[in-house]
Every structure is written in C-alpha cells, then in structure tokens.
C-alpha cells in the first residue's frame, strides 16, 4: 500500500505541474470561443486512443496493486503520456475526478450477442446481436429504470484517493454527462439487419420499440437530475469540446438541472436511412427528450450533411457531428456559423503507415470549406481502432494538423 501511494504521488505531482501550465488557460479560451460561435481558430482533440498499442517507453505500465489506486494511476499515466507526446488542444483539469457510482435497473433487457476479436487487448471487436424484439409481445418486457446513487462506495473511492494525493492534486466528485443512444441500444437488442428491414416492413412495430426506449431515457434523465448526478462543469461532450459561455449559468450548488448542461443525441445506425425516415423514427422523439437541456450536440458516425434541416427541429441545438463519410463542403455551406461543426477526420489515416500528403489534403479540404463559410468548428480524431502499434502515427498526425490549424 505504501508503495502504491508513493507511485501515485509522483504521478499526481507531475500532473498538477502540467495542469498548472498556462496553455491550459489558453486552450480553455479557444474551446469556449468555438462553442460560442466566435471561433479564434479551430480546436483539435484526440480521443478514444488504443493506449495498449503505444506503450513504447513503458510509461503506461501500471505498477499499483490496490485496485482503486491502480485506476487512478491508469488515468494519470494516460493523461501525462498524451500531454507529452500528442496533446493537440487538450485541457488538463486542475483536479483528479472521482466519478459518482450510479446504478440502474435498466430497461428490462440484457444484450445477447456473439463476438469475435482479432486483438484480445483491444475493446473494439465484432458483434453479432441476437434479435430479442422480433415478436410483438416482446415489447412488453420493457420497463422504466430505477436509478440509485451509491454514495458509500463513491466516498470510499474519493477518500482513498484523496488521502493518497489530495494535498498535491485536488480530488473532486464528478457526475455524468447526458448521452441518449436510443438507436445504438435498439441495434444491440435487434441486430442491424432486422432493425433496418422493419423500418420499412413493420413501421408500427418499430415505433412501439422506439417509443419505449424514448420513455426509458426521459425517465433516466429525470432521475439523474433529481438525484443531482449530472456534471456541472464537463470539459467534453462525447470527445468534443463542451466549454461555452452559456452554461451552466447561475448555479446555487444544488442538484444540476438539465437546463445547465449539454444534451446529446445520435442515430448512427441511420447512416443509410433516408432523411424522411430519420426524421420520423428519431428526430420526432429526440425533440422531446432534448427540450429540457441547455444546449444540444447531435450526431456520431452517421453522415448528416444532407439532413441539417431536420436537425434544426431539435431545441437548443448548438453542435452537429460531421464525420469522414459526410461531405464537409456541403455541410459547411449549409451550417455556416449557425451551429458548431464537430468535424471528425478519418481515423483510418493513423491505422497503418501515415500518408502525410493525403493527411494534409484531407485537413486542407476541411479547413478551406469551414473558412469559406465562416464556420466555428473543432476537429476530433476519435474512433481510433488501431494505430498499427506505432505511436509515431499519432505523434505525426498531431504535429501536422496543429501546424495547419495554427496557420489557419
């Protein structure tokens, strides 16, 4: 235990020094300007990183034995590693976050699937989901969640870490961000093919399913708000920047209201679905779910460049995801400076030998389209399945892209 504490204290001291650097303050200013639609320059972030592929110097190797302190060690090592080698515009929070431990009784189903993994150390694997919602009466199995906050377990973690490093680095309880992946959940309960077929062949059956899932998320969010389990000061909303000058507004220290935070919706399984169908089966439900939130970020991997008009029905919409499969020229022209673009460069570029000329062309196309149309935007390299076990792919990607945005 003493050895674990010594290890963690060394890391905490290094992290605190890095978090105190002035560039964190400057990066906060850049992030906030983007989300305020008053961009100074584009913000660049890198997230969802396969750290198991890039431990070239051993600095990511965990040494603590205590499971709680080992979790804190993992967090600090990864943050310091990225800060040193490919930081882009990342911000180091001036504290160690202890997430509130939250339990839920769920929606009445558990995922049933077969999986196939090529790399046993990579959590990104192939899934084949079993269809549990084919029959009409199967929908009756849905139930609303009961959410509870395990304060005792949370405080055990908080106190263990606080006693170890709290004098070097503040330790802070943090809540949850809003995430409403209705169609990801339905896909896991149905499988992709049955889901897409039934959009056409059994629309009423599909509406019954999505209505139940929408009720589930409305109840979940209401309970998270009532129990004070939302996070008041998130740095990120699913990998993109969350800082802005609108939220949280005046905060009295009580339960965080939905009106003080970002909401997030998406329907990435609708990548091949028409605009009318996307509107009918997702946006119609998302409008009600997102209405209580202060700002809204919509989208994930689905191309949305030709669907901007239906997204505008979502209350408080501020940010829209534009993926590698969307036309950035079309998206930038339609969006202009009315919403923030969360641009996602292609993560395949770092999966093998980095083609630097191709990367410069890709980023140049993004920068040109957004500059031509006066867009505020961030660029987030995410969904990184692999970097080919070569950290230099990430290092060079960051160097090239940061050079280009600084000359923007």
């Amino acid at each position: 235990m003493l050895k674990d504490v010594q290890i963690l204290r060394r890391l905490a001291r290094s992290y605190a020094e890095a978090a105190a650097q002035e560039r964190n303050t400057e990066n906060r200013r850049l992030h906030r300007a983007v989300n305020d639609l008053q961009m100074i320059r584009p913000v660049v972030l890198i997230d969802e990183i396969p750290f198991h592929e890039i431990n070239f110097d051993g600095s990511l190797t965990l040494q603590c034995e205590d499971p709680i302190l080992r979790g804190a060690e993992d967090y600090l090592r990864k943050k310091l590693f990225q800060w040193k080698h490919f930081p882009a515009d990342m911000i180091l929070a001036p504290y160690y976050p202890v997430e509130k431990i939250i339990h839920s009784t769920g929606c009445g189903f558990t995922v049933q699937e077969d999986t196939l993994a090529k790399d046993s150390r990579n959590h990104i694997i192939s899934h084949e989901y079993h269809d549990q919602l084919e029959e009409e009466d199967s929908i009756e199995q849905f139930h609303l969640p009961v959410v509870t906050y395990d304060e005792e377990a949370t405080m055990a973690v908080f106190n263990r870490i606080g006693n170890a490093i709290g004098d070097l680095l503040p330790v802070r309880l943090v809540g949850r961000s809003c995430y409403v992946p209705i169609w990801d959940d339905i896909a896991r309960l149905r499988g992709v093919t049955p889901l897409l077929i039934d959009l056409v062949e059994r629309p009423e059956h599909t509406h019954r399913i999505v209505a139940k899932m929408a009720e589930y998320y409305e109840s979940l969010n209401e309970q998270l708000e009532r129990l004070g389990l939302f996070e008041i000061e998130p740095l990120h909303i699913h990998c993109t920047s969350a800082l802005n000058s609108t939220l949280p507004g005046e905060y009295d220290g009580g339960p965080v209201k939905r009106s003080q935070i970002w909401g997030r919706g998406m329907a990435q399984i609708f990548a091949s679905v028409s605009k009318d169908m996307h509107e009918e089966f997702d946006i119609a439900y998302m409008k009600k779910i997102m209405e209580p939130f202060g700002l809204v970020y919509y989208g994930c991997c689905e191309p949305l460049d030709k669907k901007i008009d239906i997204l505008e029905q979502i209350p408080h919409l501020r940010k829209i995801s534009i993926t590698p499969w969307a036309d950035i020229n079309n998206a930038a022209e339609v969006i202009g400076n009315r919403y923030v673009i969360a641009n996602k460069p292609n993560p395949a570029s770092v999966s093998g030998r980095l083609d630097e000329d191709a990367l410069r062309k890709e980023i140049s196309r993004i920068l040109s389209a957004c500059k031509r149309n006066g867009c505020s935007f961030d660029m987030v390299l995410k969904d990184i399945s692999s970097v080919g076990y070569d950290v230099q792919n990430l290092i060079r990607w960051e160097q090239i892209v940061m050079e280009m945005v600084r000359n923007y």
Side-chain angles (χ1 to χ4, degrees):
M1 181 67 174
L2 178 59
K3 178 185 174 184
D4 287 1
V5 171
Q6 290 172 340
I7 292 168
L8 203 61
R9 287 181 67 81
R10 285 196 296 270
L11 292 169
R13 186 176 289 107
S14 296
Y15 181 95
E17 291 172 355
Q21 291 179 17
E22 179 61 27
R23 80 188 210 215
N24 285 287
T25 301
E26 175 60 18
N27 286 348
R28 283 177 176 272
R29 187 172 75 97
L30 294 173
H31 286 225
R32 189 172 289 108
V34 165
N35 287 323
D36 288 348
L37 297 172
Q38 298 176 352
M39 187 182 74
I40 299 166
R41 69 156 173 81
V43 163
V44 180
L45 297 170
I46 302 174
D47 210 328
E48 300 180 330
I49 300 161
F51 282 102
H52 68 283
E53 291 191 358
I54 57 177
N55 189 19
F56 70 96
D57 60 358
S59 61
L60 292 169
T61 302
L62 300 181
Q63 300 174 25
C64 290
E65 296 180 4
D66 179 275
I68 291 177
L69 299 186
R70 190 177 177 89
E73 177 193 11
D74 184 59
Y75 175 90
L76 294 172
R77 287 189 184 279
K78 287 176 177 176
K79 290 294 185 182
L80 288 168
F81 186 93
Q82 185 173 358
W83 184 258
K84 178 179 179 180
H85 295 293
F86 44 90
D89 292 314
M90 72 183 290
I91 297 169
L92 292 180
Y95 56 81
Y96 176 85
V98 172
E99 296 182 0
K100 294 179 179 180
I101 298 173
I102 302 169
H103 302 297
S104 170
T105 57
C107 67
F109 293 85
T110 56
V111 174
Q112 299 175 17
E113 61 178 332
D114 299 315
T115 62
L116 182 65
K118 181 178 180 182
D119 183 345
S120 62
R121 300 176 65 194
N122 197 328
H123 72 279
I124 300 175
I125 59 176
S126 177
H127 304 259
E128 182 179 5
Y129 298 106
H130 302 176
D131 189 353
Q132 302 180 62
L133 292 169
E134 181 179 5
E135 303 301 326
E136 297 287 339
D137 59 2
S138 63
I139 299 175
E140 301 308 316
Q141 189 175 331
F142 273 105
H143 63 64
L144 297 181
V146 176
V147 178
T148 53
Y149 169 42
D150 193 336
E151 185 175 10
E152 182 178 355
T154 300
M155 293 311 297
V157 175
F158 179 85
N159 290 329
R160 179 76 63 83
I161 297 174
N163 289 337
I165 64 172
D167 59 324
L168 299 173
L169 177 66
V171 178
R172 178 177 178 271
L173 289 179
V174 298
R176 180 178 291 188
S177 296
C178 168
Y179 180 41
V180 184
I182 284 178
W183 283 100
D184 276 13
D185 289 346
I186 295 174
R188 293 187 184 102
L189 297 178
R190 296 228 57 193
V192 175
T193 300
L195 179 162
L196 292 175
I197 289 173
D198 275 1
L199 288 171
V200 177
E201 295 189 352
R202 295 200 294 171
E204 292 184 1
H205 181 63
T206 303
H207 273 299
R208 289 183 64 207
I209 293 172
V210 69
K212 288 289 187 181
M213 195 63 76
E215 289 176 9
Y216 167 84
Y217 274 105
E218 288 179 57
S219 176
L220 178 69
N221 289 333
E222 288 169 0
Q223 292 179 68
L224 290 171
E225 178 180 87
R226 186 172 66 252
L227 294 171
L229 298 177
F230 281 123
E231 172 55 32
I232 191 67
E233 294 178 332
L235 288 178
H236 302 101
I237 174 73
H238 191 66
C239 306
T240 75
S241 174
L243 294 179
N244 65 91
S245 298
T246 304
L247 304 177
E250 294 187 10
Y251 178 53
D252 59 9
V256 178
K257 301 179 181 66
R258 281 172 283 176
S259 61
Q260 295 175 306
I261 65 170
W262 288 85
R264 179 177 176 243
M266 38 85 87
Q268 58 184 341
I269 205 68
F270 281 11
S272 58
V273 164
S274 72
K275 181 166 67 173
D276 288 345
M277 192 170 282
H278 195 138
E279 180 178 15
E280 177 183 351
F281 289 98
D282 185 62
I283 303 303
Y285 296 91
M286 201 60 62
K287 288 189 294 184
K288 182 181 178 183
I289 297 171
M290 289 295 126
E291 199 282 330
F293 290 91
L295 294 173
V296 173
Y297 168 40
Y298 186 90
C300 192
C301 293
E302 68 275 35
L304 295 170
D305 57 299
K306 296 179 176 62
K307 298 179 178 180
I308 304 302
D309 56 335
I310 65 170
L311 303 187
E312 293 181 299
Q313 300 176 47
I314 300 174
H316 318 298
L317 181 67
R318 175 60 62 90
K319 181 178 284 193
I320 299 172
S321 174
I322 298 299
T323 79
W325 302 279
D327 183 337
I328 184 59
N329 288 294
N330 186 64
E333 183 177 351
V334 175
I335 292 172
N337 198 38
R338 297 182 300 135
Y339 308 104
V340 180
I341 291 177
N343 180 262
K344 316 291 177 56
N346 196 336
S349 65
V350 297
S351 63
R353 183 184 178 89
L354 182 67
D355 186 332
E356 296 189 6
D357 289 338
L359 174 62
R360 290 182 185 278
K361 289 178 182 177
E362 178 192 17
I363 302 304
S364 178
R365 184 168 62 252
I366 295 166
L367 296 178
S368 296
C370 291
K371 188 170 187 176
R372 185 168 61 250
N373 292 282
C375 304
S376 281
F377 65 108
D378 50 34
M379 291 195 293
V380 187
L381 180 65
K382 61 184 290 290
D383 298 304
I384 309 171
S385 302
S386 174
V387 293
Y389 281 83
D390 186 356
V391 71
Q392 286 300 320
N393 287 331
L394 281 178
I395 291 173
R396 280 300 293 152
W397 190 97
E398 190 262 7
Q399 290 171 344
I400 290 169
V401 176
M402 290 306 296
E403 172 194 351
M404 294 180 73
V405 300
R406 285 177 177 134
N407 293 326
Y408 181 76

